Short mmCIF file of all heavy atoms in Angstrom, two decimals:
data_model
loop_
_atom_site.label_atom_id
_atom_site.label_comp_id
_atom_site.label_asym_id
_atom_site.label_seq_id
_atom_site.Cartn_x
_atom_site.Cartn_y
_atom_site.Cartn_z
N VAL V 1 0.85 -1.19 0.00
CA VAL V 1 0.00 0.00 0.00
C VAL V 1 0.89 1.24 0.00
O VAL V 1 1.86 1.31 0.76
CB VAL V 1 -0.94 0.05 1.23
CG1 VAL V 1 -1.84 1.28 1.19
CG2 VAL V 1 -1.78 -1.22 1.33
N VAL V 2 0.53 2.21 -0.83
CA VAL V 2 1.22 3.50 -0.86
C VAL V 2 0.36 4.52 -0.11
O VAL V 2 -0.82 4.71 -0.44
CB VAL V 2 1.47 3.98 -2.30
CG1 VAL V 2 2.00 5.42 -2.30
CG2 VAL V 2 2.45 3.06 -3.01
N ILE V 3 0.94 5.16 0.89
CA ILE V 3 0.26 6.24 1.60
C ILE V 3 0.80 7.56 1.06
O ILE V 3 1.98 7.86 1.19
CB ILE V 3 0.48 6.16 3.12
CG1 ILE V 3 -0.05 4.83 3.67
CG2 ILE V 3 -0.21 7.33 3.82
CD1 ILE V 3 0.11 4.65 5.17
N LEU V 4 -0.10 8.34 0.44
CA LEU V 4 0.29 9.60 -0.19
C LEU V 4 0.16 10.73 0.83
O LEU V 4 -0.92 10.95 1.39
CB LEU V 4 -0.58 9.86 -1.41
CG LEU V 4 -0.30 8.88 -2.54
CD1 LEU V 4 -1.57 8.37 -3.17
CD2 LEU V 4 0.60 9.51 -3.58
N CYS V 5 1.25 11.45 1.04
CA CYS V 5 1.31 12.45 2.12
C CYS V 5 1.53 13.86 1.59
O CYS V 5 2.06 14.72 2.29
CB CYS V 5 2.40 12.07 3.11
SG CYS V 5 2.12 10.49 3.91
N GLY V 6 1.14 14.11 0.34
CA GLY V 6 1.26 15.44 -0.23
C GLY V 6 0.08 16.32 0.13
O GLY V 6 -0.83 15.93 0.87
N GLY V 7 0.07 17.52 -0.43
CA GLY V 7 -0.99 18.48 -0.15
C GLY V 7 -2.17 18.32 -1.08
O GLY V 7 -2.04 17.86 -2.22
N SER V 8 -3.34 18.73 -0.59
CA SER V 8 -4.56 18.60 -1.38
C SER V 8 -4.67 19.63 -2.49
O SER V 8 -5.37 19.43 -3.48
CB SER V 8 -5.79 18.71 -0.47
OG SER V 8 -5.81 17.67 0.47
N ALA V 9 -4.00 20.75 -2.33
CA ALA V 9 -4.13 21.83 -3.31
C ALA V 9 -3.47 21.48 -4.64
O ALA V 9 -4.06 21.69 -5.71
CB ALA V 9 -3.55 23.13 -2.75
N ASN V 10 -2.25 20.93 -4.58
CA ASN V 10 -1.48 20.74 -5.82
C ASN V 10 -0.94 19.34 -6.03
O ASN V 10 -0.53 19.02 -7.15
CB ASN V 10 -0.31 21.73 -5.84
CG ASN V 10 -0.77 23.18 -5.87
OD1 ASN V 10 -0.88 23.83 -4.85
ND2 ASN V 10 -1.06 23.69 -7.05
N ASP V 11 -0.89 18.51 -5.00
CA ASP V 11 -0.25 17.19 -5.13
C ASP V 11 -1.24 16.06 -5.37
O ASP V 11 -1.17 15.34 -6.36
CB ASP V 11 0.58 16.88 -3.88
CG ASP V 11 1.71 17.88 -3.66
OD1 ASP V 11 2.26 18.37 -4.65
OD2 ASP V 11 2.01 18.17 -2.49
N LEU V 12 -2.15 15.87 -4.43
CA LEU V 12 -3.00 14.68 -4.45
C LEU V 12 -3.93 14.59 -5.67
O LEU V 12 -4.19 13.47 -6.14
CB LEU V 12 -3.81 14.60 -3.16
CG LEU V 12 -2.96 14.47 -1.88
CD1 LEU V 12 -3.87 14.45 -0.65
CD2 LEU V 12 -2.06 13.25 -1.91
N PRO V 13 -4.45 15.70 -6.21
CA PRO V 13 -5.33 15.55 -7.36
C PRO V 13 -4.71 14.81 -8.54
O PRO V 13 -5.42 14.14 -9.30
CB PRO V 13 -5.66 17.00 -7.73
CG PRO V 13 -5.55 17.74 -6.44
CD PRO V 13 -4.39 17.09 -5.74
N TRP V 14 -3.39 14.89 -8.72
CA TRP V 14 -2.76 14.14 -9.81
C TRP V 14 -1.97 12.94 -9.30
O TRP V 14 -1.90 11.91 -9.96
CB TRP V 14 -1.85 15.05 -10.64
CG TRP V 14 -0.65 15.60 -9.92
CD1 TRP V 14 -0.58 16.76 -9.21
CD2 TRP V 14 0.65 15.01 -9.85
NE1 TRP V 14 0.67 16.94 -8.68
CE2 TRP V 14 1.46 15.88 -9.07
CE3 TRP V 14 1.23 13.85 -10.35
CZ2 TRP V 14 2.80 15.62 -8.78
CZ3 TRP V 14 2.57 13.59 -10.07
CH2 TRP V 14 3.32 14.47 -9.30
N GLN V 15 -1.41 13.03 -8.08
CA GLN V 15 -0.59 11.93 -7.58
C GLN V 15 -1.40 10.67 -7.30
O GLN V 15 -0.98 9.56 -7.63
CB GLN V 15 0.14 12.36 -6.29
CG GLN V 15 1.38 13.18 -6.52
CD GLN V 15 2.13 13.42 -5.22
OE1 GLN V 15 1.63 13.15 -4.12
NE2 GLN V 15 3.33 13.95 -5.33
N THR V 16 -2.56 10.83 -6.66
CA THR V 16 -3.32 9.64 -6.27
C THR V 16 -3.81 8.85 -7.48
O THR V 16 -3.59 7.63 -7.54
CB THR V 16 -4.49 10.02 -5.34
OG1 THR V 16 -4.00 10.83 -4.25
CG2 THR V 16 -5.14 8.78 -4.75
N PRO V 17 -4.44 9.48 -8.48
CA PRO V 17 -4.82 8.69 -9.67
C PRO V 17 -3.61 8.09 -10.39
O PRO V 17 -3.70 6.96 -10.90
CB PRO V 17 -5.55 9.71 -10.56
CG PRO V 17 -5.95 10.81 -9.66
CD PRO V 17 -4.93 10.87 -8.57
N MET V 18 -2.49 8.82 -10.42
CA MET V 18 -1.30 8.30 -11.09
C MET V 18 -0.75 7.07 -10.37
O MET V 18 -0.47 6.04 -10.98
CB MET V 18 -0.22 9.37 -11.16
CG MET V 18 1.05 8.93 -11.89
SD MET V 18 2.40 10.13 -11.76
CE MET V 18 2.89 9.93 -10.03
N MET V 19 -0.64 7.14 -9.05
CA MET V 19 -0.12 6.02 -8.27
C MET V 19 -1.08 4.83 -8.30
O MET V 19 -0.65 3.67 -8.22
CB MET V 19 0.13 6.44 -6.82
CG MET V 19 1.31 7.37 -6.66
SD MET V 19 2.86 6.53 -7.01
CE MET V 19 3.98 7.93 -6.96
N ALA V 20 -2.37 5.11 -8.43
CA ALA V 20 -3.37 4.03 -8.46
C ALA V 20 -3.26 3.18 -9.71
O ALA V 20 -3.83 2.09 -9.77
CB ALA V 20 -4.78 4.61 -8.34
N LYS V 21 -2.50 3.63 -10.70
CA LYS V 21 -2.26 2.80 -11.88
C LYS V 21 -1.40 1.58 -11.55
O LYS V 21 -1.44 0.58 -12.25
CB LYS V 21 -1.56 3.62 -12.97
CG LYS V 21 -2.39 4.74 -13.54
CD LYS V 21 -1.59 5.51 -14.59
CE LYS V 21 -2.40 6.65 -15.18
NZ LYS V 21 -1.62 7.42 -16.19
N HIS V 22 -0.64 1.66 -10.46
CA HIS V 22 0.34 0.63 -10.15
C HIS V 22 0.20 0.04 -8.74
O HIS V 22 0.70 -1.05 -8.48
CB HIS V 22 1.75 1.20 -10.29
CG HIS V 22 1.99 1.88 -11.60
ND1 HIS V 22 2.19 1.18 -12.77
CD2 HIS V 22 2.05 3.19 -11.93
CE1 HIS V 22 2.38 2.03 -13.77
NE2 HIS V 22 2.29 3.26 -13.29
N PHE V 23 -0.46 0.78 -7.81
CA PHE V 23 -0.48 0.37 -6.41
C PHE V 23 -1.87 0.57 -5.81
O PHE V 23 -2.66 1.37 -6.29
CB PHE V 23 0.50 1.23 -5.60
CG PHE V 23 1.92 1.17 -6.04
CD1 PHE V 23 2.43 2.14 -6.90
CD2 PHE V 23 2.77 0.16 -5.61
CE1 PHE V 23 3.76 2.11 -7.31
CE2 PHE V 23 4.09 0.11 -6.01
CZ PHE V 23 4.59 1.09 -6.87
N CYS V 24 -2.11 -0.13 -4.70
CA CYS V 24 -3.20 0.25 -3.81
C CYS V 24 -2.76 1.52 -3.08
O CYS V 24 -1.63 1.60 -2.60
CB CYS V 24 -3.51 -0.87 -2.82
SG CYS V 24 -4.23 -2.32 -3.61
N VAL V 25 -3.66 2.50 -3.00
CA VAL V 25 -3.28 3.82 -2.49
C VAL V 25 -4.26 4.30 -1.44
O VAL V 25 -5.41 3.87 -1.38
CB VAL V 25 -3.20 4.85 -3.64
CG1 VAL V 25 -2.11 4.49 -4.64
CG2 VAL V 25 -4.55 4.98 -4.35
N ILE V 26 -3.79 5.25 -0.64
CA ILE V 26 -4.64 5.92 0.33
C ILE V 26 -4.14 7.34 0.49
O ILE V 26 -2.93 7.58 0.48
CB ILE V 26 -4.67 5.16 1.68
CG1 ILE V 26 -5.59 5.85 2.68
CG2 ILE V 26 -3.29 4.98 2.26
CD1 ILE V 26 -5.88 5.00 3.91
N ASP V 27 -5.09 8.30 0.59
CA ASP V 27 -4.67 9.69 0.79
C ASP V 27 -5.58 10.38 1.79
O ASP V 27 -6.57 9.81 2.27
CB ASP V 27 -4.59 10.45 -0.54
CG ASP V 27 -5.96 10.81 -1.14
OD1 ASP V 27 -6.96 10.84 -0.42
OD2 ASP V 27 -6.01 11.06 -2.37
N SER V 28 -5.23 11.64 2.10
CA SER V 28 -6.02 12.45 3.04
C SER V 28 -6.53 13.71 2.34
O SER V 28 -6.57 14.78 2.94
CB SER V 28 -5.17 12.83 4.26
OG SER V 28 -4.00 13.54 3.87
N PHE V 29 -6.93 13.57 1.09
CA PHE V 29 -7.44 14.71 0.31
C PHE V 29 -8.54 15.41 1.10
O PHE V 29 -9.53 14.79 1.48
CB PHE V 29 -7.97 14.22 -1.03
CG PHE V 29 -8.46 15.31 -1.94
CD1 PHE V 29 -7.56 16.05 -2.69
CD2 PHE V 29 -9.81 15.60 -2.05
CE1 PHE V 29 -8.00 17.06 -3.53
CE2 PHE V 29 -10.26 16.61 -2.88
CZ PHE V 29 -9.35 17.34 -3.63
N ASP V 30 -8.39 16.72 1.34
CA ASP V 30 -9.32 17.38 2.27
C ASP V 30 -10.01 18.61 1.71
O ASP V 30 -10.57 19.40 2.47
CB ASP V 30 -8.60 17.73 3.58
CG ASP V 30 -7.53 18.81 3.42
OD1 ASP V 30 -7.27 19.25 2.27
OD2 ASP V 30 -6.95 19.21 4.44
N THR V 31 -10.01 18.78 0.39
CA THR V 31 -10.79 19.87 -0.19
C THR V 31 -12.22 19.36 -0.39
O THR V 31 -12.55 18.73 -1.39
CB THR V 31 -10.19 20.33 -1.54
OG1 THR V 31 -8.81 20.63 -1.36
CG2 THR V 31 -10.91 21.56 -2.05
N HIS V 32 -13.08 19.62 0.61
CA HIS V 32 -14.40 18.99 0.66
C HIS V 32 -15.19 19.16 -0.64
O HIS V 32 -15.81 18.21 -1.12
CB HIS V 32 -15.20 19.58 1.84
CG HIS V 32 -14.67 19.20 3.18
ND1 HIS V 32 -15.17 18.16 3.94
CD2 HIS V 32 -13.65 19.73 3.92
CE1 HIS V 32 -14.50 18.07 5.07
NE2 HIS V 32 -13.58 19.02 5.08
N ALA V 33 -15.17 20.35 -1.20
CA ALA V 33 -15.98 20.62 -2.39
C ALA V 33 -15.55 19.81 -3.60
O ALA V 33 -16.34 19.60 -4.53
CB ALA V 33 -15.93 22.11 -2.72
N LYS V 34 -14.30 19.35 -3.60
CA LYS V 34 -13.78 18.64 -4.77
C LYS V 34 -13.66 17.13 -4.55
O LYS V 34 -13.10 16.43 -5.40
CB LYS V 34 -12.41 19.23 -5.16
CG LYS V 34 -12.51 20.66 -5.64
CD LYS V 34 -11.16 21.16 -6.16
CE LYS V 34 -11.29 22.57 -6.72
NZ LYS V 34 -10.00 23.07 -7.26
N ILE V 35 -14.16 16.62 -3.45
CA ILE V 35 -14.06 15.18 -3.18
C ILE V 35 -14.77 14.34 -4.25
O ILE V 35 -14.20 13.34 -4.71
CB ILE V 35 -14.55 14.86 -1.75
CG1 ILE V 35 -13.51 15.33 -0.72
CG2 ILE V 35 -14.80 13.35 -1.59
CD1 ILE V 35 -13.94 15.17 0.72
N PRO V 36 -15.98 14.69 -4.68
CA PRO V 36 -16.60 13.86 -5.73
C PRO V 36 -15.75 13.78 -7.00
O PRO V 36 -15.63 12.71 -7.61
CB PRO V 36 -17.94 14.57 -5.98
CG PRO V 36 -18.25 15.25 -4.68
CD PRO V 36 -16.92 15.71 -4.17
N GLU V 37 -15.16 14.89 -7.39
CA GLU V 37 -14.31 14.93 -8.58
C GLU V 37 -13.05 14.07 -8.37
O GLU V 37 -12.64 13.31 -9.26
CB GLU V 37 -13.92 16.38 -8.84
CG GLU V 37 -12.94 16.63 -9.95
CD GLU V 37 -12.54 18.10 -10.00
OE1 GLU V 37 -13.33 18.97 -9.57
OE2 GLU V 37 -11.42 18.38 -10.47
#
């Protein structure tokens, strides 16, 4: 499992989908309004 520890503003929106191509992933994305996206 990869635990992604970047920021929600600029890191996780692209890092989590990218890492999910190869690994099981988990993040703490916290921009509430953009969670569905």
Side-chain angles (χ1 to χ4, degrees):
V1 181
V2 172
I3 300 181
L4 292 136
C5 298
S8 297
N10 297 95
D11 298 326
L12 299 178
W14 65 271
Q15 280 187 349
T16 309
M18 182 188 72
M19 289 292 173
K21 294 179 180 179
H22 308 284
F23 301 96
C24 291
V25 296
I26 181 168
D27 74 21
S28 58
F29 183 81
D30 67 356
T31 307
H32 292 263
K34 294 186 176 181
I35 286 175
E37 175 186 334

